[in-house]
Amino acid sequence: MSTQKKIVVGGAGGFIGGHLVADLRRQGLGPLRAIDIKPLGEWYQKFDDVENLVLDLSEKKACENALDGAGLVYNLAADMGGMGFIENNRALCMLTVLINTHMLMAAKKHGIERFFYSSSACVYAAGKQRDPNLTALKEEDAYPAEAEDGYGWEKLFSERMCRHFTEDFGLLTRVARFHNVYGPEGTYEGGREKAPAAICRKVIEAKLSGKHEIEIWGDGHQTRSFMYIDDCLYGIQKIMHSTNVTMPINLGSSEMVTINQLVDIAENIAGLKLKRNYNLKAPKGVNGRNSDNTLIQKLLDWEPSISLKTGLEKTYRWIYDDIQKKKK
């Protein structure tokens, strides 16, 4: 990358974006510009030696300001959350298309050297995810298109926009389809949390309250894979700097578990067993989803390596400490 050009992280006040800024900073890369719509006091992680800007990246002018003087752009900005948020806020999720549209337009205007877009496994066709014991999803399984309503369609559309900005304008873009990223410093309450954090919080609350029960959304037989944040950060940067990853690629663990098994792991960490109450009316997403990592192994000779047991224990400990800190 050209010297002194900014590395911009959109969505830097969020979970993955905050960790990405922290990781780039640890590596001594920069100068860094971190951007989020949230007030600075609400950012998950913030660093005083980074240029921190509060901007609404759904606005064209804000994106032009954000990318002025930039060389590399990581666009992780989105209005999103776990399945409970996605299923009840489809219009808000669709409006995120304005962010990537205006970011790409600004990238073209400023001659950005490389542009990373964070897509999602929610782009995959629903018809291939009806069986909990599904075959892992390959990149081509996004078509014929039948994406998650709202959020998934926005991600799929934005992937196509990246492709066409590359074809028509020569903007180098990289697209990763995230599969359920989790870890410390993330949302675990309030409605936007994802399954690993939500399960950890519920187990911790049951332990602290002495009421040894837990509500599980769905029948617990849904299958997923979960990628620890450190693996995600490494994968993002491997993909960003690759010369041969020119199409959207899976970035996720291939370690598939049921939601019941996820609860088992959290219970083992806590050292207790809970009565399970299944809420069959709650949002639960597709019946089965797992990442086929054949392509990332072939092109980058890599796939995530941190086990769910290891990652969830770190996440559980952080959430437990944070809950105790808030109580004090």
Side-chain angles (χ1 to χ4, degrees):
M1 195 186 83
S2 304
T3 57
Q4 298 309 306
K5 284 197 172 182
K6 296 275 186 177
I7 300 175
V8 174
V9 177
F15 167 51
I16 302 175
H19 276 288
L20 180 58
V21 172
D23 193 59
L24 294 169
R25 184 172 166 271
R26 276 193 297 268
Q27 295 177 63
L29 300 175
L32 297 171
R33 178 181 291 154
I35 300 167
D36 204 279
I37 192 173
K38 294 188 289 293
L40 289 172
E42 296 178 14
W43 288 27
Y44 291 32
Q45 298 186 67
K46 182 173 68 70
F47 305 95
D48 293 336
D49 56 353
V50 171
E51 182 186 4
N52 300 306
L53 300 179
V54 176
L55 294 171
D56 181 354
L57 293 179
S58 67
E59 298 176 354
K60 183 170 179 282
K61 185 63 178 176
C63 291
E64 291 177 352
N65 292 340
L67 302 195
D68 187 20
L72 298 183
V73 176
Y74 294 91
N75 182 23
L76 288 82
D79 198 350
M80 58 86 67
M83 194 52 60
F85 179 82
I86 288 172
E87 288 196 5
N88 293 304
N89 295 276
R90 293 189 174 106
L92 284 179
C93 290
M94 289 294 288
L95 284 171
T96 295
V97 75
L98 294 172
I99 296 175
N100 205 53
T101 301
H102 291 142
M103 287 285 273
L104 283 168
M105 291 170 69
K108 174 180 175 287
K109 176 178 180 177
H110 288 301
I112 296 302
E113 295 166 22
R114 196 163 288 209
F115 184 100
F116 175 89
Y117 175 66
S118 58
S119 186
S120 166
C122 288
V123 303
Y124 284 114
K128 294 182 180 290
Q129 302 175 80
R130 294 196 172 105
D131 185 349
N133 301 306
L134 84 166
T135 302
L137 295 161
K138 293 180 177 291
E139 283 73 9
E140 58 264 31
D141 290 331
Y143 296 94
E146 191 188 358
E148 177 81 36
D149 199 6
Y151 179 71
W153 278 106
E154 185 278 319
K155 289 295 186 183
L156 194 61
F157 178 85
S158 292
E159 286 188 5
R160 300 294 288 191
M161 190 173 292
C162 287
R163 170 179 169 175
H164 297 312
F165 265 71
T166 297
E167 294 171 343
D168 294 356
F169 306 126
L171 174 64
L172 283 178
T173 59
R174 295 291 182 264
V175 177
R177 291 174 180 161
F178 291 175
H179 287 250
N180 294 310
V181 185
Y182 73 99
E185 304 288 347
T187 299
Y188 60 84
E189 60 186 351
R192 291 182 184 253
E193 65 273 24
K194 294 189 176 182
I199 294 297
C200 285
R201 185 202 78 236
K202 290 177 181 181
V203 171
I204 291 166
E205 287 174 345
K207 184 181 179 74
L208 294 176
S209 69
K211 186 180 179 182
H212 289 182
E213 296 185 12
I214 184 171
E215 181 186 77
I216 297 172
W217 288 7
D219 60 12
H221 298 302
Q222 316 96 284
T223 52
R224 295 291 188 274
S225 62
F226 301 98
M227 175 173 54
Y228 189 65
I229 184 63
D230 290 2
D231 277 330
C232 180
L233 299 175
Y234 189 73
I236 287 172
Q237 292 168 77
K238 288 272 285 187
I239 293 166
M240 175 62 132
H241 295 288
S242 67
T243 57
N244 56 353
V245 180
T246 56
M247 72 297 291
I249 192 168
N250 280 335
L251 182 55
S253 170
S254 57
E255 181 187 358
M256 186 172 76
V257 296
T258 65
I259 298 301
N260 277 329
Q261 289 171 326
L262 181 66
V263 176
D264 289 342
I265 297 170
E267 286 179 336
N268 288 337
I269 295 167
L272 79 169
K273 295 296 289 183
L274 303 175
K275 178 178 181 290
R276 301 182 184 188
N277 302 314
Y278 295 97
N279 184 349
L280 302 182
K281 295 182 179 179
K284 70 180 186 67
V286 295
N287 289 325
R289 178 179 291 156
N290 190 24
S291 178
D292 185 304
N293 288 345
T294 304
L295 189 60
I296 197 168
Q297 287 175 325
K298 176 184 176 182
L299 296 181
L300 298 179
D301 191 28
W302 180 80
E303 70 170 330
S305 61
I306 299 171
S307 72
L308 180 56
K309 180 181 178 182
T310 298
L312 200 68
E313 182 161 7
K314 292 180 180 181
T315 306
Y316 179 98
R317 302 299 178 201
W318 180 83
I319 293 173
Y320 184 92
D321 290 345
D322 199 59
I323 287 174
Q324 294 288 57
K325 184 170 66 176
K326 286 179 178 177
K327 283 188 175 183
K328 290 178 182 177

PDB file of all heavy atoms in Angstrom, residues 9 26 49-50 64 97 197-198 221 233 257 278 283 294 314:
ATOM      1  N   VAL A   9     -11.489   1.651   8.487  1.00  0.00           N
ATOM      2  CA  VAL A   9     -12.359   0.570   8.939  1.00  0.00           C
ATOM      3  C   VAL A   9     -13.745   1.153   9.185  1.00  0.00           C
ATOM      4  O   VAL A   9     -13.936   1.954  10.110  1.00  0.00           O
ATOM      5  CB  VAL A   9     -11.827  -0.109  10.218  1.00  0.00           C
ATOM      6  CG1 VAL A   9     -12.807  -1.188  10.693  1.00  0.00           C
ATOM      7  CG2 VAL A   9     -10.442  -0.710   9.970  1.00  0.00           C
ATOM      8  N   ARG A  26      -2.058  -3.332  16.640  1.00  0.00           N
ATOM      9  CA  ARG A  26      -1.029  -4.190  17.245  1.00  0.00           C
ATOM     10  C   ARG A  26       0.091  -4.498  16.259  1.00  0.00           C
ATOM     11  O   ARG A  26       1.253  -4.637  16.645  1.00  0.00           O
ATOM     12  CB  ARG A  26      -1.656  -5.512  17.722  1.00  0.00           C
ATOM     13  CG  ARG A  26      -2.287  -5.457  19.094  1.00  0.00           C
ATOM     14  CD  ARG A  26      -2.597  -6.846  19.625  1.00  0.00           C
ATOM     15  NE  ARG A  26      -3.575  -7.536  18.812  1.00  0.00           N
ATOM     16  CZ  ARG A  26      -4.884  -7.503  19.025  1.00  0.00           C
ATOM     17  NH1 ARG A  26      -5.374  -6.784  20.034  1.00  0.00           N
ATOM     18  NH2 ARG A  26      -5.716  -8.169  18.250  1.00  0.00           N
ATOM     19  N   ASP A  49      -4.934   6.797  19.778  1.00  0.00           N
ATOM     20  CA  ASP A  49      -3.933   7.060  18.747  1.00  0.00           C
ATOM     21  C   ASP A  49      -4.450   6.726  17.341  1.00  0.00           C
ATOM     22  O   ASP A  49      -3.686   6.660  16.381  1.00  0.00           O
ATOM     23  CB  ASP A  49      -2.645   6.277  19.027  1.00  0.00           C
ATOM     24  CG  ASP A  49      -2.869   4.777  19.161  1.00  0.00           C
ATOM     25  OD1 ASP A  49      -4.050   4.354  19.161  1.00  0.00           O
ATOM     26  OD2 ASP A  49      -1.875   4.039  19.261  1.00  0.00           O
ATOM     27  N   VAL A  50      -5.768   6.525  17.227  1.00  0.00           N
ATOM     28  CA  VAL A  50      -6.422   6.270  15.948  1.00  0.00           C
ATOM     29  C   VAL A  50      -7.344   7.445  15.648  1.00  0.00           C
ATOM     30  O   VAL A  50      -7.928   8.039  16.561  1.00  0.00           O
ATOM     31  CB  VAL A  50      -7.238   4.954  16.014  1.00  0.00           C
ATOM     32  CG1 VAL A  50      -8.110   4.776  14.784  1.00  0.00           C
ATOM     33  CG2 VAL A  50      -6.305   3.763  16.192  1.00  0.00           C
ATOM     34  N   GLU A  64     -17.586   9.969   1.241  1.00  0.00           N
ATOM     35  CA  GLU A  64     -16.516  10.695   0.550  1.00  0.00           C
ATOM     36  C   GLU A  64     -15.527  11.275   1.554  1.00  0.00           C
ATOM     37  O   GLU A  64     -14.312  11.231   1.345  1.00  0.00           O
ATOM     38  CB  GLU A  64     -17.114  11.790  -0.327  1.00  0.00           C
ATOM     39  CG  GLU A  64     -17.889  11.237  -1.523  1.00  0.00           C
ATOM     40  CD  GLU A  64     -18.547  12.330  -2.344  1.00  0.00           C
ATOM     41  OE1 GLU A  64     -18.530  13.510  -1.905  1.00  0.00           O
ATOM     42  OE2 GLU A  64     -19.096  12.001  -3.414  1.00  0.00           O
ATOM     43  N   VAL A  97     -27.887  -1.295   2.345  1.00  0.00           N
ATOM     44  CA  VAL A  97     -27.385  -1.238   0.966  1.00  0.00           C
ATOM     45  C   VAL A  97     -26.860   0.160   0.630  1.00  0.00           C
ATOM     46  O   VAL A  97     -25.970   0.314  -0.208  1.00  0.00           O
ATOM     47  CB  VAL A  97     -28.492  -1.677  -0.029  1.00  0.00           C
ATOM     48  CG1 VAL A  97     -29.540  -0.597  -0.213  1.00  0.00           C
ATOM     49  CG2 VAL A  97     -27.879  -2.076  -1.366  1.00  0.00           C
ATOM     50  N   ALA A 197     -23.089 -15.697  22.281  1.00  0.00           N
ATOM     51  CA  ALA A 197     -23.128 -14.720  23.371  1.00  0.00           C
ATOM     52  C   ALA A 197     -24.429 -14.828  24.156  1.00  0.00           C
ATOM     53  O   ALA A 197     -24.435 -14.728  25.386  1.00  0.00           O
ATOM     54  CB  ALA A 197     -22.960 -13.306  22.821  1.00  0.00           C
ATOM     55  N   ALA A 198     -25.545 -15.036  23.448  1.00  0.00           N
ATOM     56  CA  ALA A 198     -26.834 -15.153  24.123  1.00  0.00           C
ATOM     57  C   ALA A 198     -26.865 -16.371  25.038  1.00  0.00           C
ATOM     58  O   ALA A 198     -27.333 -16.295  26.179  1.00  0.00           O
ATOM     59  CB  ALA A 198     -27.958 -15.239  23.091  1.00  0.00           C
ATOM     60  N   HIS A 221     -32.312 -28.398  17.749  1.00  0.00           N
ATOM     61  CA  HIS A 221     -31.677 -29.300  16.779  1.00  0.00           C
ATOM     62  C   HIS A 221     -31.099 -28.549  15.573  1.00  0.00           C
ATOM     63  O   HIS A 221     -30.449 -29.167  14.726  1.00  0.00           O
ATOM     64  CB  HIS A 221     -32.683 -30.355  16.296  1.00  0.00           C
ATOM     65  CG  HIS A 221     -33.189 -31.249  17.390  1.00  0.00           C
ATOM     66  ND1 HIS A 221     -32.345 -32.016  18.169  1.00  0.00           N
ATOM     67  CD2 HIS A 221     -34.453 -31.482  17.841  1.00  0.00           C
ATOM     68  CE1 HIS A 221     -33.074 -32.696  19.052  1.00  0.00           C
ATOM     69  NE2 HIS A 221     -34.346 -32.377  18.883  1.00  0.00           N
ATOM     70  N   LEU A 233     -10.334 -12.336  12.171  1.00  0.00           N
ATOM     71  CA  LEU A 233      -9.411 -11.230  11.871  1.00  0.00           C
ATOM     72  C   LEU A 233      -8.293 -11.678  10.937  1.00  0.00           C
ATOM     73  O   LEU A 233      -7.941 -10.970   9.986  1.00  0.00           O
ATOM     74  CB  LEU A 233      -8.815 -10.685  13.167  1.00  0.00           C
ATOM     75  CG  LEU A 233      -9.794 -10.100  14.185  1.00  0.00           C
ATOM     76  CD1 LEU A 233      -9.057  -9.715  15.457  1.00  0.00           C
ATOM     77  CD2 LEU A 233     -10.534  -8.907  13.606  1.00  0.00           C
ATOM     78  N   VAL A 257     -22.206 -27.803  14.936  1.00  0.00           N
ATOM     79  CA  VAL A 257     -22.840 -28.297  16.166  1.00  0.00           C
ATOM     80  C   VAL A 257     -24.316 -27.931  16.155  1.00  0.00           C
ATOM     81  O   VAL A 257     -24.739 -27.017  15.447  1.00  0.00           O
ATOM     82  CB  VAL A 257     -22.191 -27.698  17.432  1.00  0.00           C
ATOM     83  CG1 VAL A 257     -20.750 -28.123  17.581  1.00  0.00           C
ATOM     84  CG2 VAL A 257     -22.315 -26.163  17.428  1.00  0.00           C
ATOM     85  N   TYR A 278     -37.906 -24.918  25.522  1.00  0.00           N
ATOM     86  CA  TYR A 278     -37.793 -24.618  24.100  1.00  0.00           C
ATOM     87  C   TYR A 278     -38.928 -23.704  23.647  1.00  0.00           C
ATOM     88  O   TYR A 278     -40.106 -24.040  23.793  1.00  0.00           O
ATOM     89  CB  TYR A 278     -37.781 -25.915  23.293  1.00  0.00           C
ATOM     90  CG  TYR A 278     -36.564 -26.774  23.585  1.00  0.00           C
ATOM     91  CD1 TYR A 278     -36.635 -27.815  24.503  1.00  0.00           C
ATOM     92  CD2 TYR A 278     -35.353 -26.511  22.964  1.00  0.00           C
ATOM     93  CE1 TYR A 278     -35.525 -28.593  24.788  1.00  0.00           C
ATOM     94  CE2 TYR A 278     -34.227 -27.282  23.242  1.00  0.00           C
ATOM     95  CZ  TYR A 278     -34.322 -28.319  24.155  1.00  0.00           C
ATOM     96  OH  TYR A 278     -33.205 -29.070  24.437  1.00  0.00           O
ATOM     97  N   PRO A 283     -37.681 -16.576  16.876  1.00  0.00           N
ATOM     98  CA  PRO A 283     -36.892 -16.652  15.645  1.00  0.00           C
ATOM     99  C   PRO A 283     -35.767 -17.674  15.802  1.00  0.00           C
ATOM    100  O   PRO A 283     -35.060 -17.673  16.809  1.00  0.00           O
ATOM    101  CB  PRO A 283     -36.328 -15.229  15.508  1.00  0.00           C
ATOM    102  CG  PRO A 283     -37.241 -14.368  16.316  1.00  0.00           C
ATOM    103  CD  PRO A 283     -37.693 -15.226  17.448  1.00  0.00           C
ATOM    104  N   THR A 294     -13.462 -25.744   1.509  1.00  0.00           N
ATOM    105  CA  THR A 294     -12.609 -26.277   0.442  1.00  0.00           C
ATOM    106  C   THR A 294     -11.900 -25.169  -0.321  1.00  0.00           C
ATOM    107  O   THR A 294     -10.693 -25.250  -0.586  1.00  0.00           O
ATOM    108  CB  THR A 294     -13.446 -27.125  -0.538  1.00  0.00           C
ATOM    109  OG1 THR A 294     -14.113 -28.158   0.172  1.00  0.00           O
ATOM    110  CG2 THR A 294     -12.556 -27.733  -1.615  1.00  0.00           C
ATOM    111  N   LYS A 314     -13.414 -18.595  26.401  1.00  0.00           N
ATOM    112  CA  LYS A 314     -12.901 -17.221  26.483  1.00  0.00           C
ATOM    113  C   LYS A 314     -14.052 -16.218  26.463  1.00  0.00           C
ATOM    114  O   LYS A 314     -14.040 -15.219  27.196  1.00  0.00           O
ATOM    115  CB  LYS A 314     -11.947 -16.951  25.316  1.00  0.00           C
ATOM    116  CG  LYS A 314     -10.651 -17.742  25.376  1.00  0.00           C
ATOM    117  CD  LYS A 314      -9.764 -17.419  24.190  1.00  0.00           C
ATOM    118  CE  LYS A 314      -8.458 -18.199  24.246  1.00  0.00           C
ATOM    119  NZ  LYS A 314      -7.561 -17.893  23.111  1.00  0.00           N
TER     120      LYS A 314
END
